[in-house]
DNA sequence: CCTCCCTTGTGTACGCTGTTCACAATGTCA
DNA sequence: TGACATTGTGAACAGCGTACACAAGGGAGG
């Protein structure tokens, strides 16, 4: 007689299950909290099974990071879409820039773990256009920011000679605030204070770009 | 007869030795690379000896973080001191603000591992005034930034009503650039490009604050 | 249908980590 | 001198990432 016939040999979509478990762990604890063995445990599978779908722990973490960036893009798109379409082109351009900033900071506030997984995990710069991290309408958060800046140039609100490198400056500002409040020295800054700081910061960017 | 009489029972200053080893490890690999057992190994001591001086691994890492922030403050002071004393008060104020930014970004560029140890390790906000992280003249990098901003207000370059929260905006900007280039999506950005981006960013801050 | 082979799972094992516990050597103070 | 706190050692444990050999199941060619 065969004792204990195996039940679960084919899982169905283990890769997806591991990624989902990884996202859950990252949500509460950031990328360092993604532990491979725990992911397999949650998927009801032996530790080594993971190695059929990810070469490494780091590869799993990178997949989590990609998925997290896709969610950031989605959050930004949501803010973008909330901009009323009745605005003049000039007002719309400013509003879009601010929407990108708000979406970015809002995600950092609401999903700190995923935010850190999204932006503090080693991924090459080529990933800025990788569809794996794009939002619902296939646009990367970086692309959304670039679009807003192009609009600003088009309406004459941003001198063309300052356009180059503007992504980097704008992105740095909001990213810096997010990091300081999330895992930096300003950790646990009061939620409302952080919100006000975000608004003030976006003012600075809009004025100084 | 006593076999193998013990040689090293009193180390002298083990705490300092562990901290130095921790700083070395953080220098190449950031805070995650600080491993307690390795530190004891480098100090020529058994693993558990560390627990006589640090309750935890995290306590060791925090000590490393404090020391790293002290070095950041020193780097900023060096830039500050390089500002020529012949400038007008107004020019000096701007120059000091830019010196703080340059010192911060320069440290991030030259000592990426220590920079991450300095600013991505859980420490309460009260540490912003802790003498353990101050520079040679007992000033925290945060205090140096605040001084520069006060000068800007004094010479009328920064409207008084925008003074509050200005630290946070300015700090966010440079911190964000540093993080994006260090461990963020812009990792390994060309050194010269990063330098130019830093200059452009400081322009934005100076203009938009 | 049978056979071969590739894919995807399991089991065992290794070295590394942080950490706990009991114990030993040393320095200090009565 | 003797008691005591300090600072080191040694053995042990659980948890981690990972390598290796092996087994179950599915698909393709005969």
């Amino acid at each position: 007689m065969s004792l204990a016939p195996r039940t679960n040999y084919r899982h169905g979509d283990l890769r997806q299950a591991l990624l989902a478990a990884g996202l859950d762990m990252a949500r509460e604890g950031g990328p360092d909290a993604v532990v491979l063995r725990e992911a397999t445990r949650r998927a009801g599978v032996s530790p080594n099974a993971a190695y059929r779908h990810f070469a490494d722990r780091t590869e799993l973490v990178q997949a989590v990071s990609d998925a997290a960036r896709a969610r950031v893009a989605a959050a930004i798109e949501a803010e973008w879409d909330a901009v009323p379409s009745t605005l003049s082109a000039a007002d719309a351009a400013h509003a879009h820039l601010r929407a990108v900033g708000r979406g970015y900071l809002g995600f950092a506030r609401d999903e700190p773990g995923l935010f850190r997984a999204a932006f503090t995990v080693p991924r090459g710069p080529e990933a800025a256009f990788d569809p794996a991290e794009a939002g619902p309408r296939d646009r990367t958060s970086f692309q959304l920011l670039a679009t807003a800046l192009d609009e600003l140039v088009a309406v004459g609100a941003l001198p063309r000679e300052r356009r180059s490198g503007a992504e980097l400056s704008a992105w740095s500002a909001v990213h810096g605030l997010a990091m300081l409040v999330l895992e930096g020295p300003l950790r646990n800054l009061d939620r409302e204070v952080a919100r006000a700081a975000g608004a003030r910061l976006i003012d600075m960017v809009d004025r100084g770009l």
Side-chain angles (χ1 to χ4, degrees), chain A:
Chain A
M1 60 165 263
S2 69
L3 45 157
R6 239 182 296 202
T7 59
N8 245 352
Y9 241 97
R10 284 287 119 89
H11 179 283
D13 194 352
L14 181 52
R15 181 185 169 96
Q16 201 56 36
L18 293 172
L19 204 153
L23 276 167
D24 280 349
M25 293 185 281
R27 178 173 290 112
E28 20 168 316
D32 293 350
V34 176
V35 23
L36 194 146
R37 285 179 102 111
E38 173 65 17
T40 62
R41 238 171 273 137
R42 296 193 187 185
V45 111
S46 92
N48 296 339
Y51 289 88
R52 299 299 171 186
H53 302 273
F54 301 96
D56 243 1
R57 172 184 176 274
T58 75
E59 217 172 73
L60 168 60
V61 176
Q62 286 182 349
V64 169
S65 177
D66 288 345
R69 276 198 308 287
R71 300 199 186 190
V72 174
I76 293 180
E77 279 197 1
E79 287 286 342
W80 184 292
D81 292 346
V83 171
S85 56
T86 59
L87 296 180
S88 71
D91 287 350
H94 283 282
H96 284 155
L97 176 64
R98 303 170 82 82
V100 172
R102 263 201 323 278
Y104 199 86
L105 290 176
F107 188 88
R109 192 188 334 113
D110 298 338
E111 290 283 14
L114 289 184
F115 182 88
R116 287 165 49 209
F119 293 113
T120 69
V121 163
R123 297 255 55 190
E126 75 290 353
F129 301 98
D130 189 337
E133 62 157 317
R137 282 201 304 288
D138 290 331
R139 320 195 72 192
T140 288
S141 42
F142 186 80
Q143 293 171 322
L144 287 163
L145 171 59
T147 303
L149 292 172
D150 286 341
E151 290 185 11
L152 281 175
V153 172
V155 302
L158 174 61
R160 192 173 298 273
E161 68 272 17
R162 286 212 221 110
R163 173 63 181 83
S164 120
E167 291 90 340
L168 198 40
S169 294
W171 191 4
S172 291
V174 288
H175 185 70
L177 179 59
M179 293 306 283
L180 286 176
V181 174
L182 253 52
E183 64 171 4
L186 270 41
R187 199 178 314 242
N188 304 330
L189 192 65
D190 177 79
R191 212 180 150 88
E192 202 42 54
V193 174
R195 194 185 191 82
R200 194 200 184 295
L201 180 80
I202 294 179
D203 282 345
M204 178 186 85
V205 172
D206 203 358
R207 190 163 39 222
L209 255 183

